[in-house]
CSV table of all heavy atoms in Angstrom, one decimal:
chain,number,residue,atom,x,y,z
B,33,PRO,N,299.1,112.4,-28.2
B,33,PRO,CA,300.2,113.4,-27.9
B,33,PRO,C,300.0,113.8,-26.4
B,33,PRO,O,298.9,114.0,-25.9
B,33,PRO,CB,299.9,114.5,-28.8
B,33,PRO,CG,298.4,114.4,-29.1
B,33,PRO,CD,298.1,112.9,-29.1
B,34,CYS,N,301.2,113.9,-25.8
B,34,CYS,CA,301.1,114.3,-24.4
B,34,CYS,C,302.2,115.3,-24.1
B,34,CYS,O,303.2,115.4,-24.8
B,34,CYS,CB,301.3,113.1,-23.5
B,34,CYS,SG,303.0,112.5,-23.4
B,35,LEU,N,302.0,116.1,-23.0
B,35,LEU,CA,302.9,117.1,-22.5
B,35,LEU,C,303.1,116.8,-21.0
B,35,LEU,O,302.1,116.7,-20.4
B,35,LEU,CB,302.5,118.5,-22.8
B,35,LEU,CG,303.4,119.6,-22.3
B,35,LEU,CD1,303.5,120.8,-23.3
B,35,LEU,CD2,302.9,120.1,-20.9
B,36,TYR,N,304.3,116.8,-20.6
B,36,TYR,CA,304.5,116.7,-19.1
B,36,TYR,C,305.5,117.7,-18.6
B,36,TYR,O,306.4,118.1,-19.4
B,36,TYR,CB,304.9,115.2,-18.7
B,36,TYR,CG,306.1,114.7,-19.3
B,36,TYR,CD1,307.4,114.8,-18.7
B,36,TYR,CD2,306.0,113.9,-20.5
B,36,TYR,CE1,308.5,114.3,-19.3
B,36,TYR,CE2,307.2,113.4,-21.0
B,36,TYR,CZ,308.4,113.5,-20.4
B,36,TYR,OH,309.5,113.0,-21.0
B,37,VAL,N,305.4,118.0,-17.4
B,37,VAL,CA,306.2,119.1,-16.8
B,37,VAL,C,307.3,118.5,-15.9
B,37,VAL,O,307.0,117.7,-15.0
B,37,VAL,CB,305.3,120.0,-16.0
B,37,VAL,CG1,306.1,121.2,-15.3
B,37,VAL,CG2,304.2,120.6,-16.8
B,38,GLN,N,308.5,119.0,-16.0
B,38,GLN,CA,309.6,118.5,-15.2
B,38,GLN,C,310.4,119.7,-14.7
B,38,GLN,O,310.9,120.5,-15.5
B,38,GLN,CB,310.5,117.7,-16.1
B,38,GLN,CG,311.5,116.8,-15.4
B,38,GLN,CD,312.1,115.8,-16.3
B,38,GLN,OE1,311.4,115.0,-16.9
B,38,GLN,NE2,313.4,115.9,-16.5
B,39,PRO,N,310.5,119.9,-13.4
B,39,PRO,CA,311.4,121.0,-12.9
B,39,PRO,C,312.8,120.8,-13.3
B,39,PRO,O,313.3,119.7,-13.3
B,39,PRO,CB,311.2,120.9,-11.4
B,39,PRO,CG,310.1,120.1,-11.1
B,39,PRO,CD,310.0,119.1,-12.3
B,40,ASP,N,313.5,121.9,-13.6
B,40,ASP,CA,314.9,121.8,-14.0
B,40,ASP,C,315.8,122.4,-13.0
B,40,ASP,O,316.6,121.7,-12.4
B,40,ASP,CB,315.1,122.5,-15.4
B,40,ASP,CG,316.5,122.3,-16.0
B,40,ASP,OD1,317.1,121.2,-15.6
B,40,ASP,OD2,317.0,123.1,-16.7
B,41,THR,N,315.7,123.7,-12.8
B,41,THR,CA,316.5,124.4,-11.8
B,41,THR,C,315.6,125.4,-11.0
B,41,THR,O,314.7,125.9,-11.6
B,41,THR,CB,317.7,125.2,-12.4
B,41,THR,OG1,317.2,126.1,-13.3
B,41,THR,CG2,318.7,124.2,-13.1
B,42,ILE,N,316.0,125.7,-9.8
B,42,ILE,CA,315.4,126.7,-9.0
B,42,ILE,C,316.4,127.7,-8.5
B,42,ILE,O,317.4,127.2,-7.9
B,42,ILE,CB,314.7,126.1,-7.8
B,42,ILE,CG1,313.6,125.0,-8.2
B,42,ILE,CG2,313.9,127.1,-7.0
B,42,ILE,CD1,313.0,124.3,-7.1
B,43,ASP,N,316.2,128.9,-8.7
B,43,ASP,CA,317.1,130.0,-8.2
B,43,ASP,C,316.3,130.7,-7.1
B,43,ASP,O,315.3,131.3,-7.3
B,43,ASP,CB,317.5,131.0,-9.3
B,43,ASP,CG,318.4,130.4,-10.3
B,43,ASP,OD1,319.1,129.4,-10.0
B,43,ASP,OD2,318.4,130.8,-11.5
B,44,PHE,N,316.8,130.5,-5.9
B,44,PHE,CA,316.2,131.2,-4.7
B,44,PHE,C,316.6,132.6,-4.6
B,44,PHE,O,317.7,133.0,-5.1
B,44,PHE,CB,316.4,130.4,-3.4
B,44,PHE,CG,315.9,129.0,-3.4
B,44,PHE,CD1,316.7,127.9,-3.4
B,44,PHE,CD2,314.5,128.8,-3.4
B,44,PHE,CE1,316.2,126.6,-3.4
B,44,PHE,CE2,314.0,127.5,-3.3
B,44,PHE,CZ,314.8,126.4,-3.4
B,45,ASP,N,315.9,133.4,-3.8
B,45,ASP,CA,316.3,134.7,-3.3
B,45,ASP,C,316.6,135.7,-4.5
B,45,ASP,O,317.7,136.3,-4.5
B,45,ASP,CB,317.5,134.6,-2.4
B,45,ASP,CG,317.2,133.7,-1.2
B,45,ASP,OD1,316.1,133.9,-0.6
B,45,ASP,OD2,318.0,132.8,-0.9
B,46,GLY,N,315.7,135.8,-5.4
B,46,GLY,CA,315.9,136.8,-6.5
B,46,GLY,C,315.7,138.2,-5.9
B,46,GLY,O,316.3,139.1,-6.5
B,47,THR,N,315.0,138.3,-4.8
B,47,THR,CA,314.9,139.6,-4.1
B,47,THR,C,315.0,139.2,-2.6
B,47,THR,O,314.9,138.1,-2.2
B,47,THR,CB,313.6,140.3,-4.4
B,47,THR,OG1,312.5,139.5,-3.9
B,47,THR,CG2,313.4,140.6,-5.8
B,48,PHE,N,315.1,140.3,-1.8
B,48,PHE,CA,315.2,140.1,-0.4
B,48,PHE,C,313.9,139.6,0.2
B,48,PHE,O,312.8,139.8,-0.4
B,48,PHE,CB,315.6,141.4,0.3
B,48,PHE,CG,317.0,141.9,-0.1
B,48,PHE,CD1,317.1,143.2,-0.6
B,48,PHE,CD2,318.1,141.1,0.0
B,48,PHE,CE1,318.4,143.7,-1.0
B,48,PHE,CE2,319.4,141.6,-0.3
B,48,PHE,CZ,319.5,142.9,-0.9
B,49,GLY,N,314.0,139.1,1.4
B,49,GLY,CA,312.8,138.7,2.2
B,49,GLY,C,312.0,137.6,1.5
B,49,GLY,O,310.8,137.6,1.7
B,50,ARG,N,312.7,136.7,0.7
B,50,ARG,CA,312.0,135.6,0.0
B,50,ARG,C,310.9,136.2,-0.9
B,50,ARG,O,309.9,135.5,-1.1
B,50,ARG,CB,311.4,134.6,1.0
B,50,ARG,CG,312.5,134.0,1.9
B,50,ARG,CD,313.4,133.1,1.2
B,50,ARG,NE,312.8,131.9,0.7
B,50,ARG,CZ,312.7,131.6,-0.6
B,50,ARG,NH1,313.3,132.4,-1.5
B,50,ARG,NH2,312.1,130.5,-1.0
B,51,GLY,N,311.2,137.3,-1.5
B,51,GLY,CA,310.3,138.0,-2.3
B,51,GLY,C,310.1,137.3,-3.7
B,51,GLY,O,309.0,137.4,-4.3
B,52,MET,N,311.2,136.7,-4.2
B,52,MET,CA,311.1,136.1,-5.5
B,52,MET,C,312.0,134.9,-5.7
B,52,MET,O,313.2,135.0,-5.4
B,52,MET,CB,311.4,137.2,-6.6
B,52,MET,CG,311.0,136.7,-8.0
B,52,MET,SD,311.4,137.9,-9.3
B,52,MET,CE,313.1,137.4,-9.7
B,53,ASP,N,311.4,133.9,-6.2
B,53,ASP,CA,312.2,132.7,-6.7
B,53,ASP,C,312.0,132.6,-8.2
B,53,ASP,O,311.0,133.0,-8.7
B,53,ASP,CB,311.8,131.4,-6.0
B,53,ASP,CG,312.2,131.4,-4.5
B,53,ASP,OD1,313.1,132.2,-4.1
B,53,ASP,OD2,311.7,130.6,-3.8
B,54,THR,N,313.0,132.0,-8.9
B,54,THR,CA,312.8,131.7,-10.3
B,54,THR,C,312.9,130.2,-10.5
B,54,THR,O,313.9,129.6,-10.0
B,54,THR,CB,313.9,132.4,-11.1
B,54,THR,OG1,313.8,133.8,-10.9
B,54,THR,CG2,313.7,132.1,-12.6
B,55,ILE,N,312.0,129.6,-11.1
B,55,ILE,CA,312.0,128.2,-11.4
B,55,ILE,C,312.0,128.0,-12.9
B,55,ILE,O,311.2,128.6,-13.6
B,55,ILE,CB,310.8,127.4,-10.8
B,55,ILE,CG1,310.6,127.8,-9.3
B,55,ILE,CG2,310.9,125.9,-11.0
B,55,ILE,CD1,309.4,127.1,-8.7
B,56,TYR,N,313.0,127.2,-13.4
B,56,TYR,CA,313.0,126.8,-14.8
B,56,TYR,C,312.5,125.4,-14.9
B,56,TYR,O,312.9,124.5,-14.2
B,56,TYR,CB,314.5,126.8,-15.3
B,56,TYR,CG,315.0,128.2,-15.4
B,56,TYR,CD1,315.7,128.8,-14.3
B,56,TYR,CD2,314.9,129.0,-16.5
B,56,TYR,CE1,316.2,130.1,-14.4
B,56,TYR,CE2,315.4,130.3,-16.6
B,56,TYR,CZ,316.0,130.8,-15.6
B,56,TYR,OH,316.5,132.1,-15.6
B,57,PHE,N,311.5,125.2,-15.8
B,57,PHE,CA,310.9,123.9,-16.1
B,57,PHE,C,311.3,123.5,-17.5
B,57,PHE,O,311.6,124.3,-18.4
B,57,PHE,CB,309.4,124.0,-16.0
B,57,PHE,CG,308.8,124.2,-14.7
B,57,PHE,CD1,308.6,125.5,-14.2
B,57,PHE,CD2,308.5,123.2,-13.8
B,57,PHE,CE1,308.1,125.7,-12.9
B,57,PHE,CE2,308.0,123.4,-12.6
B,57,PHE,CZ,307.8,124.7,-12.1
B,58,LYS,N,311.4,122.2,-17.7
B,58,LYS,CA,311.4,121.6,-19.0
B,58,LYS,C,310.1,120.9,-19.2
B,58,LYS,O,309.7,120.0,-18.5
B,58,LYS,CB,312.6,120.7,-19.2
B,58,LYS,CG,313.9,121.4,-19.3
B,58,LYS,CD,315.1,120.5,-19.5
B,58,LYS,CE,316.4,121.3,-19.7
B,58,LYS,NZ,317.6,120.4,-19.8
B,59,LEU,N,309.4,121.3,-20.3
B,59,LEU,CA,308.2,120.6,-20.7
B,59,LEU,C,308.5,119.8,-21.9
B,59,LEU,O,309.1,120.3,-22.9
B,59,LEU,CB,307.1,121.7,-21.0
B,59,LEU,CG,306.3,122.3,-19.9
B,59,LEU,CD1,307.2,123.0,-18.9
B,59,LEU,CD2,305.4,123.4,-20.5
B,60,TYR,N,308.1,118.5,-21.8
B,60,TYR,CA,308.4,117.6,-22.9
B,60,TYR,C,307.0,117.3,-23.6
B,60,TYR,O,306.1,116.9,-22.9
B,60,TYR,CB,309.0,116.3,-22.4
B,60,TYR,CG,310.5,116.6,-22.0
B,60,TYR,CD1,310.7,116.9,-20.6
B,60,TYR,CD2,311.5,116.6,-22.9
B,60,TYR,CE1,312.0,117.2,-20.2
B,60,TYR,CE2,312.8,116.9,-22.5
B,60,TYR,CZ,313.1,117.1,-21.1
B,60,TYR,OH,314.3,117.4,-20.7
B,61,LEU,N,307.0,117.5,-24.9
B,61,LEU,CA,305.8,117.1,-25.7
B,61,LEU,C,306.2,116.0,-26.6
B,61,LEU,O,307.1,116.1,-27.4
B,61,LEU,CB,305.3,118.3,-26.5
B,61,LEU,CG,303.9,118.3,-27.0
B,61,LEU,CD1,303.3,119.6,-27.0
B,61,LEU,CD2,303.9,117.6,-28.4
B,62,LEU,N,305.4,114.9,-26.5
B,62,LEU,CA,305.6,113.7,-27.3
B,62,LEU,C,304.4,113.4,-28.2
B,62,LEU,O,303.3,113.6,-27.8
B,62,LEU,CB,305.8,112.5,-26.3
B,62,LEU,CG,306.9,112.6,-25.3
B,62,LEU,CD1,306.9,111.4,-24.4
B,62,LEU,CD2,308.3,112.9,-25.9
B,63,VAL,N,304.7,113.0,-29.4
B,63,VAL,CA,303.7,112.6,-30.3
B,63,VAL,C,304.0,111.2,-30.9
B,63,VAL,O,305.2,110.8,-30.8
B,63,VAL,CB,303.5,113.6,-31.5
B,63,VAL,CG1,303.1,115.0,-31.0
B,63,VAL,CG2,304.7,113.6,-32.4
B,64,SER,N,303.0,110.6,-31.4
B,64,SER,CA,303.2,109.2,-31.9
B,64,SER,C,304.1,109.3,-33.1
B,64,SER,O,304.0,110.2,-33.9
B,64,SER,CB,301.8,108.6,-32.3
B,64,SER,OG,302.0,107.4,-33.1
Side-chain angles (χ1 to χ4, degrees):
Chain B
C34 77
L35 176 141
Y36 59 89
V37 180
Q38 192 170 302
D40 186 29
T41 59
I42 303 175
D43 292 333
F44 295 114
D45 302 316
T47 63
F48 297 124
R50 300 294 291 117
M52 191 183 92
D53 290 341
T54 301
I55 308 177
Y56 291 89
F57 290 92
K58 285 185 178 176
L59 280 54
Y60 291 93
L61 196 146
L62 305 178
V63 300
S64 168

